[in-house]
Amino acid sequence: MTELTERSAVPAPPVAVEPPPIAPPAQLPEAGELLPWPELEAAVAACRRCRLCETRTHTVFGRGRPGARWLLVGEAPGENEDRQGLAFVGRAGQLLDNMLASIGLDSETDVFITNVLKCRPPGNRNPAGDEIAACQGYLLQQIAHLKPTLIIALGRFAAQTLLQNSDSIARLRGKVHRYHDIPLIVSFHPAYLLRNLPDKAKAWQDLVLALRTQRALEQTH
């Protein structure tokens, strides 16, 4: 999902950006609490836990390989994702695929890509706190199934929601965080990078940090 909708021809006055509402922290489900992967996907498709079910076209469970080592998490589906039912499609998705390919990863086999929310907020507005809380269990189930060795949070909302804080993305980048003891790297949302091309160099640094973190993990196991 794009973190900001396309700018109009006439610049709007600056608006203060509020931090995303933080859903209550929760533990990953135990093995006995896990839905089988096909049942989890079906549960997301049929979900009516919040108001977003009234306006969505499709739910967006994710894309990639369930057995992949890396998990990439964005904010929520955008217009293209809602229409196709797939995570990170369109220009932002193409950029993400190309960025992954640049470090030797295939977006369909080497990673799994999903979002904090599984339904598109109308007009690509920011997620609401009750929507994040309603969807949280699905993401926790996905993480418990996938058992990723590394998580990359794409964009401010995903990073702040997963890490349960309101720090800026500038403060969150460049370090290795922990999410349920899984290393987590913060980077920019690819839709942001489409509008701010100079920051692609910083996104590359984030991917390099992710690779170094993965290699360090492999050396200790």
Side-chain angles (χ1 to χ4, degrees):
M1 169 183 173
T2 58
E3 291 196 307
L4 295 172
T5 53
E6 185 177 353
R7 302 293 189 184
S8 61
V10 179
V15 177
V17 178
E18 295 295 329
I22 303 299
Q27 296 301 312
L28 293 178
E30 300 293 336
E33 301 171 326
L34 283 178
L35 288 174
W37 190 259
E39 291 184 22
L40 178 61
E41 190 167 5
V44 169
C47 182
R48 301 192 64 82
R49 291 183 179 179
C50 75
R51 67 186 75 84
L52 295 182
C53 68
E54 300 170 1
T55 55
R56 73 186 181 216
T57 302
H58 293 101
T59 58
V60 180
F61 187 73
R63 70 177 172 97
R65 186 170 68 88
R69 293 185 301 175
W70 285 19
L71 172 65
L72 279 61
V73 182
E75 173 188 336
E79 183 178 5
N80 289 324
E81 290 79 9
D82 179 59
R83 184 184 303 118
Q84 299 182 40
L86 294 172
F88 284 86
V89 294
R91 292 178 62 219
Q94 291 170 6
L95 175 58
L96 179 60
D97 291 352
N98 291 338
M99 290 170 61
L100 292 170
S102 72
I103 58 170
L105 298 179
D106 186 295
S107 62
E108 296 300 326
T109 59
D110 296 320
V111 301
F112 190 82
I113 307 170
T114 190
N115 287 293
V116 172
L117 295 189
K118 310 307 184 192
C119 295
R120 178 197 181 199
N124 290 356
R125 65 162 170 75
N126 291 334
D130 60 332
E131 295 163 355
I132 294 173
C135 245
Q136 181 175 238
Y138 296 134
L139 180 60
L140 290 170
Q141 287 257 343
Q142 287 178 314
I143 293 171
H145 267 290
L146 295 167
K147 297 181 174 61
T149 59
L150 186 138
I151 297 173
I152 299 180
L154 298 170
R156 181 177 63 89
F157 264 77
Q160 291 177 341
T161 300
L162 291 173
L163 295 174
Q164 298 284 299
N165 69 40
S166 57
D167 287 349
S168 69
I169 196 166
R171 290 178 61 87
L172 294 172
R173 286 185 55 256
K175 60 190 73 172
V176 180
H177 305 271
R178 291 276 169 175
Y179 179 79
H180 293 288
D181 206 35
I182 303 168
L184 185 149
I185 308 294
V186 174
S187 190
F188 297 104
H189 195 285
Y192 166 86
L193 295 174
L194 288 173
R195 301 187 304 273
N196 298 271
L197 294 179
D199 280 340
K200 288 177 68 176
K202 296 179 181 178
W204 170 256
Q205 294 170 359
D206 299 332
L207 290 178
V208 170
L209 175 60
L211 281 175
R212 288 176 179 167
T213 302
Q214 179 66 46
R215 288 168 182 163
L217 288 170
E218 293 170 351
Q219 291 173 359
T220 57
H221 290 83

